Amino acid sequence: AEPQEEPAPEDADTDFSDPLAPGPAVQRGISDRRLGYASRLPRQASIRQEVKRICPIQEVRTGSASLADGTYLFVVMVADPQNMRLIHEDDLVVEGVFAGHSSLVERLEFRRRWNTHWDVADADADFRHTVLYAGELCYEEGIGVTSWNNRSGHYQPGSAAHIRVGLDEATFEPVDSD
């Protein structure tokens, strides 16, 4: 049986993918203030699609995601909690452009015209709450995630919320004290 899609919460903001884009139409993003994290900083540079990976969390956990060994930045989106978006540490600086966690979030998921509305004092209220969790992880093909954390300057997820991510709790290394 096909899984039933749950309706978005009443205070959720939903966007849909570009109908002219190739491939199937999919839900682009859901913002849920009660569940998601909003960026506390301006969005970082976009990254080329070939360096951004989207993988099922279970495959990353078990080492079957066909990823290069190393350290990755990751985000898990509110709208897609079974998958994570990753970028390898070797791809963080390309052609003088520095990428980070917010680079893994599409512009429309981050905020439309964010630069015309950016106000540090009101960042939490203005920016979309589309990221379920963010951090760093160490990955070894055939083994999986050997360690992971909640280090993200943009999203600053609490360590207690790490249970939102389907990775092994025993390999979680918190970077804050909540």
Side-chain angles (χ1 to χ4, degrees), residues 26-162:
V26 295
Q27 196 165 22
R28 180 179 294 266
I30 294 176
S31 178
D32 185 341
R33 199 176 263 281
R34 296 168 297 166
L35 191 59
Y37 289 96
S39 179
R40 300 189 182 276
L41 300 169
R43 186 175 182 274
Q44 292 164 297
S46 294
I47 55 175
R48 295 185 327 265
Q49 283 302 117
E50 62 266 16
V51 299
K52 182 192 315 185
R53 298 292 308 268
I54 301 174
C55 300
I57 292 173
Q58 184 61 27
E59 290 180 10
V60 175
R61 178 182 175 141
T62 61
S64 60
S66 299
L67 297 171
D69 292 351
T71 302
Y72 288 82
L73 300 185
F74 75 88
V75 296
V76 177
M77 304 302 291
V78 170
D80 190 17
Q82 293 81 28
N83 292 298
M84 62 176 37
R85 299 176 186 182
L86 307 109
I87 183 170
H88 193 276
E89 62 187 341
D90 291 344
D91 297 317
L92 291 178
V93 180
V94 177
E95 299 170 358
V97 176
F98 184 72
H101 288 97
S102 63
S103 302
L104 293 167
V105 177
E106 294 180 31
R107 283 188 181 117
L108 291 177
E109 292 170 320
F110 190 82
R111 163 122 188 178
R112 288 186 184 96
R113 299 182 320 275
W114 69 267
N115 60 342
T116 63
H117 298 283
W118 177 251
D119 178 3
V120 162
D122 198 28
D124 196 50
D126 279 349
F127 281 71
R128 294 180 181 203
H129 296 256
T130 55
V131 172
L132 183 65
Y133 209 75
E136 303 168 330
L137 61 81
C138 293
Y139 178 86
E140 291 183 39
E141 186 66 21
I143 296 172
V145 176
T146 59
S147 67
W148 61 292
N149 62 52
N150 58 313
R151 184 175 287 119
S152 170
H154 275 78
Y155 296 101
Q156 301 175 7
S159 61
H162 77 282

